[in-house]
Amino acid sequence: MKQIARMFLLLLFATHTWAQSPKPASITELAVYNGSDREQLLYAGARSEGKVVWYTSLAGDSYKAMARAFETKYPGLRLEAYRAGGSDLVPRMIEEAKARRPVFDVLEITLDSLMVSRANNLLRPYGSPHLARYPDEAKEKADKGLTFWTIDRESYNGFGYNKNQISASAVPKGFEGLLHPELKGKLGLAYGESANKTIGAMLKIKGEAFVRKLKSQEIKVFTVSSATLVDFIASGEIGASFHIFRNHALVSMEKGSPVGWQPMELVFTNSGAVALASQPPHPHAALLLIDFLLSDGQKVLEKFQYGHPSKDYGFTRWYPDAGRSIEQYEKDSAKWEKLVKEITQK
């Protein structure tokens, strides 16, 4: 009841203040508006729009929990979420733009996909009163103090293992430890971006000659997600993997599994960030959702063990997408993928 009463007062206030003075209406005006009545104004406009469409690569139940939390805070609004990986979302958005049929309002996805999205003019810079809580390196700056995207969650990649299968002495504290004799035949790998980028981290620390030595460890290959790979470790199907996300491991541990997680000397960090569509069909609701993702939405992400860019977790992070052009990233990514296949071929 308190929540409903609060929203009713917000609507009354917004209606009254809107009548008193002209308020921003276009997406260009709304994207930079930072008045004290911002939330009330956005909510009133969002109510008339009815819904917001959110494209995201968040996995598991996290994006569903986010949608429930948003709809609970803002009664009368529907969050229509479409979840897919970047390799599926980006072509979908490009085709929608070509057809001049914009669908999504807000995008929450990894940095490599955001770079491609911006190159295809799918994004618009925005402002938010919550941006001050985020370090400069978490924001892709645009003109006039705006940002193209803001990192709202991080996943940290390291060594995941089954405590019942891998002895404490064989758990590596760095990449060199992956060559421990006890790990031979017990390591698993899933083809995809997380494996490729972990190889990229190894190259920075140990070089290509070291990476090729991993072939002798007889790594098993799976065509599953890295999250599913954690389930395989928990069940004992494989003993360990060197590209397991910390949040997936922690969620598994909370369920009572024998999974453990250890960071390496360089931790590949997968970042998800919030961006605004260049032509959002529901502009008020879009900016209201962005504000939510950057504030109250963080509580949802914490429940699913995602990290925050402003916190120190005691290990050195590496952002493979940062400071690279699309061409540079694609070139490096192709090299990493080739090495993954070389060390797993029999």
Side-chain angles (χ1 to χ4, degrees), residues 306-327:
Y306 285 100
H308 193 278
S310 68
K311 294 184 179 180
D312 182 2
Y313 296 94
F315 45 74
T316 303
R317 300 177 234 195
W318 175 56
Y319 301 88
D321 316 296
R324 298 172 185 263
S325 67
I326 294 175
E327 292 76 15

Side-chain angles (χ1 to χ4, degrees), residues 205-237:
I205 298 295
K206 303 295 294 183
E208 192 168 327
F210 168 80
V211 173
R212 294 184 185 280
K213 290 181 182 179
L214 291 174
K215 186 177 179 67
S216 66
Q217 291 297 71
E218 299 176 1
I219 301 169
K220 298 176 183 177
V221 178
F222 299 87
T223 54
V224 298
S225 68
S226 56
T228 302
L229 210 57
V230 176
D231 296 333
F232 289 175
I233 293 172
S235 67
E237 184 168 346

Side-chain angles (χ1 to χ4, degrees), residues 141-192:
K141 294 182 179 179
D143 294 334
K144 300 178 180 179
L146 303 180
T147 179
F148 273 106
W149 58 76
T150 310
I151 294 174
D152 66 323
R153 44 108 177 174
E154 293 186 337
S155 299
Y156 310 111
N157 208 270
F159 184 80
Y161 61 99
N162 185 305
K163 296 177 181 178
N164 297 331
Q165 290 197 21
I166 308 299
S167 65
S169 61
V171 176
K173 302 300 188 292
F175 293 126
E176 190 71 35
L178 294 175
L179 297 175
H180 193 289
E182 186 181 323
L183 298 180
K184 186 172 183 176
K186 294 183 179 181
L187 292 172
L189 179 150
Y191 283 147

